[in-house]
């Protein structure tokens, strides 16, 4: 069963505006972690932000913030003040349990920032 | 985070041959993983590289096709054996300093099999 769902295959945003990339997940494990990665055309996977299931506050890292709505099982990534260099694929991922090796990735969203 | 390098960065290979990909980390890490990303697809975990013992493979991946070594806490190799065009993918290694933490990825190896 699909555990991570990213419903937006592609998104466009104007430079300097904010954009939200959607991610929903499915798990019955009370302990889990949620991750967002950026993949530019070069192919590398760049870690952006992490949210633990027990974290009380939404995670933030510079221009990245994670809108964590536990009851709705959503973990949307918000990028503020978009830059041209933000154009890339963005993947949401989840790991269940504290020592489970299996990190499951969503299908990804391709973000294009327009000048 | 950790500084992770992969070699080669890309290669074009003939079907039926094998390619070994190296992953080197600048410091000791607890966990090392190998992923495959087929064209236009998301990442799929191939296996966990265990130091000093056989790798743990995910469903659909076997040791004969993807032999993995991890001789120490900073180095691992993945071999793609008897390649076919369907093996054309990006292969990425990732590392964790402690189990259950954030995974950091290497730059990837782009493989094209003709």
């Amino acid at each position: 069963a699909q555990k991570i769902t990213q419903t937006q295959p592609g998104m466009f945003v104007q430079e300097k505006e904010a954009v939200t990339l959607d991610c929903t997940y499915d798990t019955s494990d009370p302990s889990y972690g949620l991750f967002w990665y950026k993949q530019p055309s070069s192919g590398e996977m760049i870690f952006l932000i992490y949210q633990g299931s027990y974290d009380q506050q939404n995670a933030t890292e510079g221009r990245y913030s994670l809108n964590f709505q536990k009851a709705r099982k959503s973990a949307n990534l918000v990028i503020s003040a978009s830059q041209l260099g933000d154009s890339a694929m963005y993947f949401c991922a989840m790991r269940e349990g504290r020592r489970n090796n299996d990190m499951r990735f969503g299908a990804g969203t391709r973000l294009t920032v327009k000048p | 985070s950790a500084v992770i390098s992969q070699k080669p960065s890309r290669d074009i290979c003939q079907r039926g041959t094998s390619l070994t990909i190296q992953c080197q980390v600048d410091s000791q890490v607890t966990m090392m993983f190998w992923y495959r990303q087929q064209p236009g697809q998301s990442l799929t975990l191939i296996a966990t590289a265990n130091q000093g013992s056989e790798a743990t493979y995910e469903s659909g991946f076997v040791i004969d096709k993807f032999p993995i070594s991890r001789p120490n806490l900073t180095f691992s190799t993945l071999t793609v054996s008897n390649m076919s065009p369907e093996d054309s993918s990006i292969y990425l290694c990732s590392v964790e300093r402690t189990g259950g933490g954030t995974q950091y990825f290497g730059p990837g190896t782009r493989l094209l099999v003709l």
Side-chain angles (χ1 to χ4, degrees):
Chain A
Q2 181 69 24
K3 295 227 173 182
I4 293 285
T5 303
Q6 295 180 253
T7 59
Q8 307 154 314
M11 288 281 287
F12 290 88
V13 64
Q14 203 68 37
E15 192 178 10
K16 301 181 183 177
E17 293 186 349
V19 63
T20 297
L21 306 184
D22 295 342
C23 174
T24 58
Y25 59 92
D26 181 29
T27 181
S28 57
D29 195 322
S31 176
Y32 54 90
L34 298 158
F35 305 80
W36 277 92
Y37 289 87
K38 171 185 178 182
Q39 187 178 42
S41 57
S42 58
E44 61 185 312
M45 291 284 287
I46 302 168
F47 167 71
L48 295 178
I49 197 166
Y50 164 81
Q51 179 84 44
S53 59
Y54 295 116
D55 293 343
Q56 295 295 315
Q57 293 187 323
N58 288 343
T60 61
E61 289 286 348
R63 294 187 298 112
Y64 304 108
S65 61
L66 200 152
N67 184 1
F68 182 44
Q69 298 187 43
K70 195 170 184 176
R72 296 180 59 188
K73 295 187 176 179
S74 74
N76 298 338
L77 177 70
V78 180
I79 305 174
S80 63
S82 296
Q83 302 172 357
L84 296 178
D86 294 335
S87 294
M89 283 290 289
Y90 288 82
F91 291 95
C92 179
M94 178 179 68
R95 165 180 274 162
E96 297 168 290
R98 293 191 63 80
R99 297 195 66 82
N100 189 343
N101 295 337
D102 190 5
M103 180 176 280
R104 295 175 181 267
F105 286 80
T109 295
R110 180 171 297 282
L111 177 66
T112 303
V113 181
K114 298 188 289 186
Chain B
S1 65
V3 177
I4 307 164
S5 61
Q6 281 186 236
K7 288 195 291 187
S9 59
R10 59 178 63 229
D11 208 341
I12 301 173
C13 300
Q14 297 297 318
R15 70 172 65 210
T17 62
S18 298
L19 177 72
T20 296
I21 303 168
Q22 298 179 3
C23 179
Q24 178 76 54
V25 192
D26 67 339
S27 57
Q28 293 185 350
V29 293
T30 303
M31 310 291 288
M32 295 184 78
F33 306 92
W34 287 98
Y35 287 82
R36 181 177 73 181
Q37 186 179 25
Q38 294 176 302
Q41 303 295 314
S42 187
L43 278 73
T44 302
L45 180 64
I46 298 172
T48 303
N50 300 310
Q51 194 261 329
S53 64
E54 191 172 288
T56 305
Y57 289 85
E58 297 299 306
S59 176
F61 297 96
V62 296
I63 188 171
D64 289 347
K65 176 67 176 176
F66 297 102
I68 289 171
S69 77
R70 190 178 172 192
N72 55 51
L73 293 176
T74 63
F75 185 78
S76 178
T77 66
L78 167 75
T79 299
V80 186
S81 303
N82 188 24
M83 288 184 285
S84 67
E86 292 71 33
D87 294 319
S88 298
S89 297
I90 300 175
Y91 292 86
L92 299 113
C93 71
S94 72
V95 305
E96 280 180 29
R97 291 201 179 280
T98 58
T102 299
Q103 289 188 20
Y104 295 94
F105 286 80
T109 296
R110 290 180 181 270
L111 172 61
L112 176 63
V113 184
L114 302 177

